């Protein structure tokens, strides 16, 4: 039985009639940009996250860009972030003219290590051409919330704006509050594979600060104020279509249920890896306090990853590598001076991580199939490792 690495159909199919009705409503309304559908989705999102304001945006990438613009991060500023994320995280910093400062990871969680963050802040203060270290941009990677208590404390102590990249952690909670609501701005993605996935690109930025949400609304419309065609600042076209908002509003109330399925699947994987004696060969994600890991992906660490991927593919089992190259070693960012060996935890993770098939609606049989395929590789892996 082939097992794809991701399949949105099991999630979407039971809602298709409702989604089609929402889409038809938009088509018939004649209003495709802005309007009630966008406002309704934004209000539902803000209520869901218990945050003062949510601004629907064209993608998670644009949410990050708009967030940094709204916080006046720009040339001469440095932003401390993780080297182990999707490229968009660092790209937003570069796009506003600021400089990313990469700090290494906690090997147990693959999120920012606060001690390394502090060292990066100190390094940034002494860097020629850097006027101030302006912001801290942690990523809740694979659905696991970073150490927000210590990162929040560091942001306060050093006067940095905390911006959360919550693209992979919709629905996660930390100490009683939704991930994405702990800093100045939280940036979400609704890319179809995400925990709240749309039917194309989409994103949002949320904040408890009304001045910031108003600025984000202005920025998403090329900086236009209340007078039409008067542009108070340079932003972009960062709007999210009414169609996406209408469909996302249908899916939003179901995220918590899919979340339960994700947690159950993660436990099935752990139990299956244990029962086949694979724990030392396939290292499962470290368990987190309830709510702090929403398993956007189930990412294991393995030796001989490329051979294992080929072995899985030959058995019809999908897998993916997020991410094979840490950000400081990306060709486009190499001019910043990053060298192999600078960030050893991230670099080792980039060599070892493997995302196994994982999505709400995946069956227990499919989990068994994946783990059986991993087990049949074990002797080669052990010999290699
Ligand atoms: C951690 C992270 N940040 C940012 C993004 C960018 O989101 P989008 O693809 O919606 O632009 C993604 C998604 O791919 C992501 O995984």
């Amino acid at each position: 039985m082939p097992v794809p690495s991701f399949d949105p159909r099991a999630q979407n199919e039971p809602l298709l009639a409702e989604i089609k009705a929402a889409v038809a409503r938009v088509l018939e309304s004649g209003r495709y940009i802005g309007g009630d559908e966008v406002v309704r989705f934004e209000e539902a999102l803000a209520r869901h996250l218990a945050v003062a304001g949510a601004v629907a945006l064209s993608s998670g990438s644009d949410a990050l860009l708009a967030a940094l613009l709204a916080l006046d991060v720009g040339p001469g500023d440095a932003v401390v972030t993780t080297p182990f994320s999707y490229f968009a995280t660092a790209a937003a910093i570069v796009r506003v003219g600021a400089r990313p400062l990469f700090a290494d990871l906690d090997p147990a969680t693959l999120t920012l290590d606060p001690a390394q963050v502090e060292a990066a802040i100190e390094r940034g203060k002494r860097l020629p051409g850097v006027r101030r270290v302006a912001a801290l941009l942690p990523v809740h990677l694979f659905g696991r919330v970073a150490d927000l208590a210590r990162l929040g404390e560091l942001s306060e102590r050093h006067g940095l704006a905390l911006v959360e990249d919550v693209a992979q952690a919709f629905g996660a909670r930390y100490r009683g509050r939704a991930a994405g609501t702990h800093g100045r701005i939280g940036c979400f993605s609704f890319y179809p594979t995400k925990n709240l996935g749309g039917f194309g690109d989409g994103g949002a930025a949320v904040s408890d600060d009304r001045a910031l949400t108003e600025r984000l609304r202005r920025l998403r419309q090329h900086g236009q104020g209340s007078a039409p065609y008067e542009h108070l600042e340079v932003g972009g076209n960062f709007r999210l279509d009414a169609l996406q908002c209408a469909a996302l509003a249908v899916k939003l109330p179901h995220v918590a249920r899919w979340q339960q399925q994700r947690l159950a699947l993660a436990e099935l994987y752990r139990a299956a890896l244990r029962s086949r004696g694979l724990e030392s060969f396939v290292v499962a994600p470290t368990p987190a306090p309830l709510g702090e890991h929403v398993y956007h992906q189930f990412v294991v660490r393995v030796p001989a990853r490329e051979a294992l991927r080929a072995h899985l593919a030959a058995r019809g089992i999908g897998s993916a590598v997020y991410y094979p190259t840490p950000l400081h070693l990306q060709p486009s960012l190499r001019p910043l001076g990053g060298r192999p060996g600078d960030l050893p935890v991230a670099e080792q993770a980039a060599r070892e991580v493997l995302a196994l098939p994982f999505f709400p609606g995946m069956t227990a049989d499919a989990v068994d199939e994946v783990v059986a395929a991993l087990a049949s590789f074990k002797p080669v892996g052990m010999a290699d490792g």
Side-chain angles (χ1 to χ4, degrees):
M1 173 178 72
V3 186
S5 59
F6 173 72
D7 185 350
R9 285 171 304 181
Q11 189 185 93
N12 291 331
E13 254 158 22
L15 301 177
L16 273 189
E18 221 182 315
I19 292 166
K20 283 180 181 170
V23 168
R25 191 176 66 232
V26 178
L27 294 183
E28 284 160 19
S29 76
R31 178 92 198 246
Y32 307 137
I33 304 275
D36 290 349
E37 299 288 350
V38 178
V39 172
R40 266 204 297 273
F41 172 60
E42 289 180 337
E43 286 174 356
L45 183 61
R47 266 197 311 276
H48 186 93
L49 298 169
V51 67
V55 182
L57 298 167
S58 36
S59 67
S61 304
D62 288 340
L64 290 165
L65 178 58
L68 295 179
L69 290 170
L71 290 162
D72 292 311
V73 176
D77 291 338
V79 178
V80 178
T81 192
T82 165
F84 199 51
S85 178
Y86 181 55
F87 185 68
T89 310
I93 300 168
V94 176
R95 286 278 304 278
V96 300
R99 185 189 166 110
L101 286 178
F102 297 111
D104 214 347
L105 313 176
D106 173 344
T109 63
L110 300 184
T111 60
L112 277 173
D113 175 348
Q116 297 292 328
V117 167
E118 183 144 42
I121 295 169
E122 293 306 334
R123 196 168 71 243
K125 287 179 181 167
R126 294 190 305 270
L127 264 183
V130 169
R131 182 168 48 95
R132 60 168 184 161
V133 182
L136 174 57
L137 178 47
V139 175
H140 304 317
L141 194 75
F142 307 141
R144 182 173 186 133
V145 183
D147 186 347
L148 283 173
R150 287 172 69 200
L151 296 176
E153 189 272 318
L154 277 173
S155 309
E156 258 173 47
R157 182 145 48 85
H158 293 274
L160 317 187
L162 180 66
V163 179
E164 295 173 73
D165 182 339
V166 211
Q168 301 187 5
F170 190 96
R173 298 184 69 75
Y174 185 84
R175 300 195 178 172
R177 292 186 55 135
T181 66
H182 291 258
R184 303 291 307 284
I185 300 180
C187 300
F188 292 88
S189 165
F190 306 127
Y191 184 80
T193 59
K194 300 297 197 247
N195 287 28
L196 173 59
F199 299 85
D201 281 309
V206 307
S207 181
D208 272 322
D209 182 336
R210 293 268 177 209
L212 280 177
T213 49
E214 271 168 36
R215 183 101 187 262
L216 287 160
R217 284 181 212 290
R218 190 165 92 183
L219 283 162
R220 79 173 163 188
Q221 184 114 330
H222 282 296
Q224 179 175 290
S226 46
Y229 302 108
E230 185 179 54
H231 300 274
L232 304 174
E233 63 179 321
V234 175
N237 176 356
F238 303 142
R239 295 179 300 249
L240 183 59
D241 294 339
L243 277 172
Q244 289 298 340
C245 288
L248 284 164
V250 173
K251 292 189 74 174
L252 179 63
H254 300 275
V255 179
R257 181 166 53 81
W258 295 323
Q259 184 46 36
Q260 292 308 316
Q261 294 179 25
R262 286 177 184 278
L263 284 175
L265 273 178
E267 286 318 308
L268 278 179
Y269 262 118
R270 281 188 214 290
L273 290 169
R274 228 178 3 251
S275 75
R276 288 180 188 266
L278 291 176
E279 302 109 306
S280 59
F281 163 61
V282 177
V283 181
T286 321
L290 191 66
E292 288 182 29
H293 200 328
V294 290
Y295 293 93
H296 169 54
Q297 303 285 353
F298 192 80
V299 175
V300 296
R301 300 181 68 155
V302 288
R305 180 182 64 199
E306 298 315 316
L308 177 56
R309 279 199 83 190
H311 173 87
L312 293 176
R315 283 153 187 77
I317 299 197
S319 65
V321 174
Y322 310 113
Y323 296 93
T325 307
L327 296 171
H328 66 296
L329 302 180
Q330 284 289 345
S332 54
L333 301 179
R334 284 300 277 271
L336 295 171
R339 284 186 313 269
D342 284 352
L343 299 160
V345 180
E347 289 168 35
Q348 190 178 346
R351 286 192 292 272
E352 294 179 352
V353 287
L354 187 66
L356 299 179
F358 197 82
F359 47 90
M362 185 180 176
T363 62
D365 284 351
V367 171
D368 271 347
E369 190 99 3
V370 175
V371 177
L374 290 170
S376 67
F377 179 77
K378 189 181 172 191
V380 182
M382 296 301 265
D384 281 359

